[in-house]
Amino acid sequence: PNPPAPPSPAPDQSAAGDIFTNASISGDSGFTNRMQTFVAQHTTLSKVVMPLGQACGGTCTPGGFSGNMSVKIVTLDGSNNPVTTLGTINLTAAQLSWSSKATTLPFALTGLTIGNSYGIEVVGPTAGSGGSTVLYLYTGPTNPYPAGVERYKWNGGSTWTTESNWALAFEVFQ
């Protein structure tokens, strides 16, 4: 007989659970980027798992939004603004379901500095693309992941705004 399969690796860090609700980002809504910061516990990051999906605000074309949305791992400055992109995963509408589900993003990064903060930046489809990316966002009295902050950028501008006691749902794996 075959030996049992090894157990799945546990997440290195996680902000997930029943307390999260749907939120969307797209060029049409103005919310073009959202980012969750996290503190590296290891020098490697094999993958990020986030609940992602797509939605339609009434102007969707068959097959969902056009173009790509992306998820990036970025370095941060002292004010938690993105500086350098370490890795990018692009997703098309065909790769996202119409309801949010756990989506594995295989980054396979090395060279992270333990104890440094990094960002998971979600970039929605561009304006006029006919849809939006759905992700899970927590808002409440306390942040479920107090080691990081959730930020957004409005209308593709350059200014990032921190939202107190908000967090994106995510898991990072060593």
Side-chain angles (χ1 to χ4, degrees):
N2 292 330
S8 296
D12 180 40
Q13 295 177 69
S14 178
D18 295 337
I19 57 176
F20 289 82
T21 59
N22 281 328
S24 65
I25 56 173
S26 77
D28 294 331
S29 71
F31 282 105
T32 54
N33 302 57
R34 285 199 179 266
M35 179 177 62
Q36 176 66 49
T37 68
F38 68 97
V39 178
Q41 302 295 309
H42 300 279
T43 60
T44 59
L45 187 149
S46 64
K47 64 183 176 181
V48 172
V49 176
M50 299 182 81
L52 296 172
Q54 61 175 308
C56 179
T59 60
C60 285
T61 57
F65 61 81
S66 60
N68 292 332
M69 59 81 54
S70 62
V71 180
K72 303 175 183 181
I73 302 298
V74 296
T75 62
L76 304 170
D77 66 16
S79 298
N80 288 319
N81 295 310
V83 177
T84 304
T85 299
L86 300 176
T88 302
I89 304 292
N90 291 312
L91 298 168
T92 65
Q95 293 173 287
L96 297 174
S97 67
W98 283 101
S99 60
S100 295
K101 68 175 188 171
T103 304
T104 300
L105 306 160
F107 282 98
L109 298 175
T110 60
L112 300 182
T113 302
I114 295 170
N116 279 9
S117 291
Y118 294 88
I120 303 167
E121 182 181 352
V122 182
V123 182
T126 59
S129 63
S132 60
T133 300
V134 175
L135 41 83
Y136 275 82
L137 182 67
Y138 169 80
T139 63
T142 60
N143 186 340
Y145 182 70
V149 296
E150 190 273 338
R151 308 193 80 205
Y152 72 88
K153 187 166 66 166
W154 185 258
N155 282 332
S158 59
T159 302
W160 285 89
T161 302
T162 298
E163 297 181 293
S164 299
N165 299 329
W166 293 43
L168 295 182
F170 76 98
E171 294 179 317
V172 293
F173 292 81
Q174 174 181 343

